[in-house]
Amino acid sequence: MIGERNVSRRSFVKKSVVATGLTGGVLGSTQSVAADSPQTLFIEGQGDYIAVVNDPNATGRNLESGDSIRSDDDKTIVEGSVNGDVDKIDFDGWVTTLNLDGNLDAIVDGTDDAPNGDLVVEGSNSSYAFIVGYSAEKTSDCESTESVSNDANVAGKLDFSDTDTFSVIGALEDASTFSSDANVTFRYKD
């Protein structure tokens, strides 16, 4: 995705040009309109993940027998792993929580909603990057190792049991970790 992988991705370039960043909470100040069309979350790389979307009717494609998908009244939780393959989750709404455990990319195609509030990134000894739909700003708990470019592209590093919070407008469109030892959670703050 961003920075450390040197991977060219059509979606990253598209989002970077358009923008010139999952975990069971919903934004406290969400001002959103229902999605015009379904989105798809693509998860690829090597590792385990948990994705939560605010659509109880979300469906999964290319999920293996060890992966699980379960719905609540207001959300769907998908737990799985990828090892060079791509898991796909189709949903309306947005990703509210995403835990990436390993060297993974999570890319949303078709994001229409525009939530706003705080996006919290939690973990230890891991580098990360994400893109949100419109804008991201560092808050006071971010260190100098976190940066925002093109208004909506964020890169950072988590130290031991670290939390970085960003004030964002727009749905999480892309998130990456860069090590097989990485365990990073991206979530909208309750």
Side-chain angles (χ1 to χ4, degrees):
M1 186 197 102
I2 304 170
E4 297 189 23
R5 287 197 184 199
N6 218 7
V7 174
S8 173
R9 286 218 167 94
R10 187 188 108 238
S11 65
F12 173 69
V13 171
K14 176 182 163 192
K15 287 174 178 71
S16 295
V17 171
V18 171
T20 317
L22 305 249
T23 307
V26 177
L27 293 175
S29 63
T30 301
Q31 299 295 320
S32 180
V33 178
D36 294 333
S37 61
Q39 283 78 244
T40 301
L41 171 62
F42 298 89
I43 300 177
E44 59 187 60
Q46 287 190 299
D48 300 321
Y49 68 88
I50 300 172
V52 181
V53 296
N54 67 344
D55 175 6
N57 301 311
T59 59
R61 293 184 282 143
N62 202 35
L63 302 179
E64 290 80 27
S65 61
D67 298 342
S68 71
I69 185 168
R70 64 184 185 282
S71 296
D72 270 341
D73 291 336
D74 61 350
K75 64 186 171 194
T76 298
I77 302 166
V78 182
E79 295 183 54
S81 62
V82 291
N83 189 15
D85 59 321
V86 179
D87 286 2
K88 301 171 187 170
I89 303 160
D90 299 312
F91 64 98
D92 285 327
W94 63 89
V95 177
T96 59
T97 299
L98 182 62
N99 176 268
L100 302 177
D101 188 358
N103 190 2
L104 297 167
D105 285 329
I107 302 165
V108 178
D109 184 34
T111 301
D112 289 328
D113 286 358
N116 63 70
D118 288 341
L119 181 66
V120 178
V121 183
E122 300 170 308
S124 293
N125 302 319
S126 300
S127 294
Y128 65 88
F130 69 87
I131 299 173
V132 294
Y134 298 102
S135 68
E137 293 182 12
K138 297 183 344 180
T139 64
S140 60
D141 70 351
C142 291
E143 296 84 24
S144 62
T145 55
E146 284 74 55
S147 65
V148 178
S149 62
N150 295 327
D151 295 327
N153 300 347
V154 176
K157 182 175 184 329
L158 298 166
D159 297 320
F160 182 75
S161 296
D162 198 2
T163 300
D164 295 334
T165 304
F166 298 86
S167 179
V168 301
I169 299 174
L172 184 65
E173 295 181 353
D174 198 333
S176 291
T177 55
F178 303 107
S179 165
S180 60
D181 297 330
N183 187 333
V184 178
T185 298
F186 303 85
R187 69 176 171 82
Y188 284 98
K189 190 173 182 179
D190 291 334

